[in-house]
Structures are given as C-alpha cells and as structure tokens.
Tab-separated table of all heavy atoms in Angstrom:
chain	number	residue	atom	x	y	z
A	227	ASN	N	76.047	114.967	68.096
A	227	ASN	CA	77.159	115.814	68.827
A	227	ASN	C	77.434	115.060	70.037
A	227	ASN	O	76.574	114.751	70.868
A	227	ASN	CB	76.639	117.256	69.128
A	227	ASN	CG	76.571	118.114	67.979
A	227	ASN	OD1	77.233	117.947	66.952
A	227	ASN	ND2	75.759	119.122	68.114
A	228	ILE	N	78.760	114.732	70.282
A	228	ILE	CA	79.172	114.067	71.483
A	228	ILE	C	80.273	114.848	72.082
A	228	ILE	O	81.151	115.378	71.423
A	228	ILE	CB	79.711	112.598	71.043
A	228	ILE	CG1	80.117	111.780	72.319
A	228	ILE	CG2	80.732	112.561	70.056
A	228	ILE	CD1	80.337	110.358	72.003
A	229	ASN	N	80.200	114.912	73.449
A	229	ASN	CA	81.196	115.667	74.196
A	229	ASN	C	81.585	114.967	75.482
A	229	ASN	O	80.729	114.460	76.153
A	229	ASN	CB	80.570	117.018	74.622
A	229	ASN	CG	80.247	117.911	73.399
A	229	ASN	OD1	81.141	118.344	72.706
A	229	ASN	ND2	78.966	118.213	73.236
A	230	PRO	N	82.845	114.876	75.714
A	230	PRO	CA	83.336	114.312	76.938
A	230	PRO	C	83.053	115.265	78.100
A	230	PRO	O	83.223	116.521	77.901
A	230	PRO	CB	84.874	114.131	76.827
A	230	PRO	CG	85.236	115.228	75.746
A	230	PRO	CD	84.000	115.359	74.949
A	231	ILE	N	82.541	114.741	79.247
A	231	ILE	CA	82.284	115.686	80.348
A	231	ILE	C	83.083	115.455	81.580
A	231	ILE	O	83.364	116.338	82.378
A	231	ILE	CB	80.741	115.673	80.701
A	231	ILE	CG1	80.300	114.249	81.073
A	231	ILE	CG2	79.930	116.255	79.615
A	231	ILE	CD1	78.900	114.257	81.729
A	232	CYS	N	83.544	114.177	81.822
A	232	CYS	CA	84.412	113.938	82.907
A	232	CYS	C	84.924	112.568	82.876
A	232	CYS	O	84.575	111.762	81.952
A	232	CYS	CB	83.526	114.090	84.270
A	232	CYS	SG	82.320	112.855	84.489
A	233	GLU	N	85.742	112.202	83.816
A	233	GLU	CA	86.255	110.855	83.913
A	233	GLU	C	85.681	110.263	85.274
A	233	GLU	O	85.243	111.042	86.152
A	233	GLU	CB	87.768	110.885	83.880
A	233	GLU	CG	88.187	111.071	82.502
A	233	GLU	CD	89.514	111.872	82.301
A	233	GLU	OE1	90.247	112.020	83.307
A	233	GLU	OE2	89.871	112.131	81.210
A	234	TYR	N	85.672	109.008	85.346
A	234	TYR	CA	85.063	108.357	86.579
A	234	TYR	C	85.814	107.139	86.888
A	234	TYR	O	86.528	106.515	86.111
A	234	TYR	CB	83.584	108.042	86.358
A	234	TYR	CG	83.300	106.956	85.354
A	234	TYR	CD1	83.299	105.592	85.724
A	234	TYR	CD2	83.229	107.237	84.007
A	234	TYR	CE1	83.070	104.639	84.829
A	234	TYR	CE2	83.098	106.222	83.048
A	234	TYR	CZ	82.965	104.840	83.476
A	234	TYR	OH	82.757	103.913	82.594
A	235	SER	N	85.670	106.670	88.190
A	235	SER	CA	86.208	105.422	88.533
A	235	SER	C	85.141	104.614	89.344
A	235	SER	O	84.255	105.224	89.983
A	235	SER	CB	87.403	105.557	89.460
A	235	SER	OG	87.121	106.206	90.711
A	236	VAL	N	85.149	103.352	89.227
A	236	VAL	CA	84.332	102.416	89.920
A	236	VAL	C	85.151	101.487	90.718
A	236	VAL	O	85.971	100.760	90.121
A	236	VAL	CB	83.327	101.712	89.031
A	236	VAL	CG1	82.478	100.628	89.785
A	236	VAL	CG2	82.466	102.606	88.201
A	237	GLU	N	85.036	101.455	92.016
A	237	GLU	CA	85.827	100.638	92.897
A	237	GLU	C	84.891	99.580	93.486
A	237	GLU	O	83.837	99.918	94.095
A	237	GLU	CB	86.442	101.355	94.004
A	237	GLU	CG	87.380	100.560	94.922
A	237	GLU	CD	88.017	101.412	96.006
A	237	GLU	OE1	88.328	102.618	95.727
A	237	GLU	OE2	88.131	100.858	97.058
A	238	LYS	N	85.229	98.319	93.118
A	238	LYS	CA	84.437	97.202	93.584
A	238	LYS	C	85.366	96.152	94.224
A	238	LYS	O	86.102	95.485	93.547
A	238	LYS	CB	83.687	96.541	92.377
A	238	LYS	CG	82.551	95.756	92.702
A	238	LYS	CD	81.814	95.318	91.471
A	238	LYS	CE	80.638	94.564	91.787
A	238	LYS	NZ	79.870	94.135	90.531
A	239	GLY	N	85.348	96.171	95.530
A	239	GLY	CA	86.318	95.391	96.248
A	239	GLY	C	87.784	95.855	96.010
A	239	GLY	O	88.059	97.056	96.201
A	240	GLU	N	88.628	94.975	95.562
A	240	GLU	CA	90.005	95.309	95.245
A	240	GLU	C	90.241	95.881	93.857
A	240	GLU	O	91.226	96.256	93.506
A	240	GLU	CB	90.857	94.046	95.442
A	240	GLU	CG	90.896	93.488	96.882
A	240	GLU	CD	91.600	94.388	97.810
A	240	GLU	OE1	92.671	94.943	97.484
A	240	GLU	OE2	91.074	94.641	98.951
A	241	VAL	N	89.141	95.791	93.000
A	241	VAL	CA	89.311	96.229	91.635
A	241	VAL	C	88.791	97.609	91.428
A	241	VAL	O	87.663	97.962	91.814
A	241	VAL	CB	88.494	95.172	90.757
A	241	VAL	CG1	88.606	95.650	89.258
A	241	VAL	CG2	88.993	93.826	90.978
A	242	GLU	N	89.499	98.429	90.701
A	242	GLU	CA	89.113	99.735	90.409
A	242	GLU	C	89.275	99.970	88.867
A	242	GLU	O	90.341	99.653	88.344
A	242	GLU	CB	89.940	100.793	91.126
A	242	GLU	CG	89.465	102.268	90.975
A	242	GLU	CD	90.126	103.201	91.922
A	242	GLU	OE1	91.368	103.031	92.258
A	242	GLU	OE2	89.469	104.236	92.212
A	243	SER	N	88.234	100.442	88.218
A	243	SER	CA	88.265	100.650	86.782
A	243	SER	C	87.904	102.193	86.502
A	243	SER	O	87.160	102.691	87.233
A	243	SER	CB	87.397	99.682	86.032
A	243	SER	OG	86.045	99.826	86.480
A	244	TYR	N	88.457	102.609	85.351
A	244	TYR	CA	88.302	103.985	85.003
A	244	TYR	C	87.689	104.112	83.637
A	244	TYR	O	87.956	103.290	82.783
A	244	TYR	CB	89.665	104.716	84.948
A	244	TYR	CG	90.280	104.905	86.325
A	244	TYR	CD1	91.106	103.825	86.868
A	244	TYR	CD2	90.078	106.004	87.054
A	244	TYR	CE1	91.669	104.025	88.117
A	244	TYR	CE2	90.656	106.150	88.351
A	244	TYR	CZ	91.410	105.157	88.806
A	244	TYR	OH	91.998	105.260	90.089
A	245	GLY	N	86.882	105.165	83.455
A	245	GLY	CA	86.320	105.492	82.182
A	245	GLY	C	86.095	106.878	81.909
A	245	GLY	O	86.342	107.799	82.839
A	246	ARG	N	85.688	107.299	80.786
A	246	ARG	CA	85.295	108.629	80.454
A	246	ARG	C	83.782	108.668	80.165
A	246	ARG	O	83.271	107.833	79.387
A	246	ARG	CB	86.101	109.112	79.177
A	246	ARG	CG	85.781	110.606	78.858
A	246	ARG	CD	86.724	111.245	77.906
A	246	ARG	NE	87.909	111.547	78.574
A	246	ARG	CZ	89.050	111.861	78.000
A	246	ARG	NH1	89.129	112.005	76.756
A	246	ARG	NH2	90.157	112.234	78.733
A	247	LEU	N	83.097	109.594	80.729
A	247	LEU	CA	81.729	109.821	80.517
A	247	LEU	C	81.469	110.846	79.539
A	247	LEU	O	82.080	111.989	79.582
A	247	LEU	CB	81.047	110.178	81.871
A	247	LEU	CG	79.536	110.508	81.880
A	247	LEU	CD1	78.775	109.203	81.428
A	247	LEU	CD2	79.043	110.912	83.261
A	248	PHE	N	80.637	110.673	78.479
A	248	PHE	CA	80.260	111.559	77.497
A	248	PHE	C	78.757	111.868	77.568
A	248	PHE	O	77.971	111.069	78.104
A	248	PHE	CB	80.533	110.830	76.060
A	248	PHE	CG	81.939	110.540	75.832
A	248	PHE	CD1	82.454	109.447	76.323
A	248	PHE	CD2	82.738	111.364	75.055
A	248	PHE	CE1	83.814	109.098	76.059
A	248	PHE	CE2	84.009	111.094	74.761
A	248	PHE	CZ	84.573	109.897	75.215
A	249	THR	N	78.314	112.975	76.892
A	249	THR	CA	76.930	113.228	76.573
A	249	THR	C	76.921	113.290	75.066
A	249	THR	O	77.842	113.682	74.409
A	249	THR	CB	76.433	114.550	77.175
A	249	THR	OG1	77.192	115.593	76.717
A	249	THR	CG2	76.431	114.506	78.724
A	250	ALA	N	75.724	112.912	74.605
A	250	ALA	CA	75.559	112.904	73.138
A	250	ALA	C	74.083	113.276	72.801
A	250	ALA	O	73.196	112.731	73.446
A	250	ALA	CB	75.845	111.554	72.474
A	251	LYS	N	73.971	114.196	71.858
A	251	LYS	CA	72.656	114.563	71.429
A	251	LYS	C	72.619	113.951	69.952
A	251	LYS	O	73.360	114.351	69.082
A	251	LYS	CB	72.441	116.047	71.376
A	251	LYS	CG	70.988	116.407	70.953
A	251	LYS	CD	70.728	117.884	71.125
A	251	LYS	CE	69.230	118.118	70.753
A	251	LYS	NZ	68.650	119.197	71.523
A	252	ILE	N	71.633	113.014	69.752
A	252	ILE	CA	71.553	112.358	68.489
A	252	ILE	C	70.470	113.023	67.688
A	252	ILE	O	69.336	113.330	68.150
A	252	ILE	CB	71.221	110.898	68.776
A	252	ILE	CG1	72.355	110.107	69.562
A	252	ILE	CG2	70.954	110.186	67.411
A	252	ILE	CD1	72.032	108.816	69.995
A	253	TYR	N	70.790	113.315	66.438
A	253	TYR	CA	69.860	114.025	65.554
A	253	TYR	C	69.233	113.020	64.512
A	253	TYR	O	68.134	113.274	64.027
A	253	TYR	CB	70.492	115.145	64.800
A	253	TYR	CG	71.098	116.192	65.731
A	253	TYR	CD1	72.468	116.219	66.060
A	253	TYR	CD2	70.295	117.133	66.381
A	253	TYR	CE1	72.959	117.115	66.939
A	253	TYR	CE2	70.801	118.064	67.190
A	253	TYR	CZ	72.119	118.030	67.535
A	253	TYR	OH	72.619	119.009	68.334
A	254	GLU	N	70.020	111.966	64.191
A	254	GLU	CA	69.499	110.983	63.265
A	254	GLU	C	69.981	109.565	63.613
A	254	GLU	O	71.203	109.349	63.902
A	254	GLU	CB	69.983	111.364	61.845
A	254	GLU	CG	69.401	110.434	60.777
A	254	GLU	CD	69.978	110.749	59.372
A	254	GLU	OE1	70.669	111.778	59.189
A	254	GLU	OE2	69.714	109.990	58.470
A	255	LEU	N	69.037	108.675	63.627
A	255	LEU	CA	69.326	107.262	63.889
A	255	LEU	C	69.231	106.495	62.547
A	255	LEU	O	68.256	106.678	61.843
A	255	LEU	CB	68.492	106.648	64.883
A	255	LEU	CG	68.593	107.112	66.418
A	255	LEU	CD1	67.427	106.474	67.208
A	255	LEU	CD2	69.967	106.540	66.863
A	256	GLY	N	70.167	105.569	62.296
A	256	GLY	CA	70.098	104.650	61.173
A	256	GLY	C	69.854	103.305	61.626
A	256	GLY	O	69.372	103.038	62.785
A	257	GLU	N	70.122	102.351	60.813
A	257	GLU	CA	69.888	101.010	61.122
A	257	GLU	C	70.929	100.546	62.221
A	257	GLU	O	72.098	100.925	62.191
A	257	GLU	CB	70.218	100.155	59.825
A	257	GLU	CG	69.769	98.675	60.013
A	257	GLU	CD	69.842	97.904	58.726
A	257	GLU	OE1	69.441	98.569	57.693
A	257	GLU	OE2	70.304	96.812	58.717
C-alpha cells in the first residue's frame, strides 16, 4: 500500500527541486 503524504522542496544554493513524499507498507517482496 503506497500513499502520497506531502510535497517537498530542497533548496541548495540557487537550485530548488521539488518532489512528492510517499509512505508505503510492503507486504511481500519479490526478486
């Protein structure tokens, strides 16, 4: 189950980048 929780920005000097942060509960891992 994966759910978006918020958006974020990282500012490093003159550069700012944006992303979306998710949480995930994994029930089964494969290869």
Side-chain angles (χ1 to χ4, degrees):
N227 284 336
I228 183 171
N229 295 297
I231 58 168
C232 68
E233 286 149 5
Y234 68 91
S235 65
V236 176
E237 185 179 322
K238 199 172 182 180
E240 298 290 316
V241 178
E242 187 169 29
S243 58
Y244 292 87
R246 180 165 285 169
L247 179 61
F248 297 81
T249 59
K251 184 169 185 150
I252 299 171
Y253 301 103
E254 182 181 353
L255 287 171
E257 189 173 319

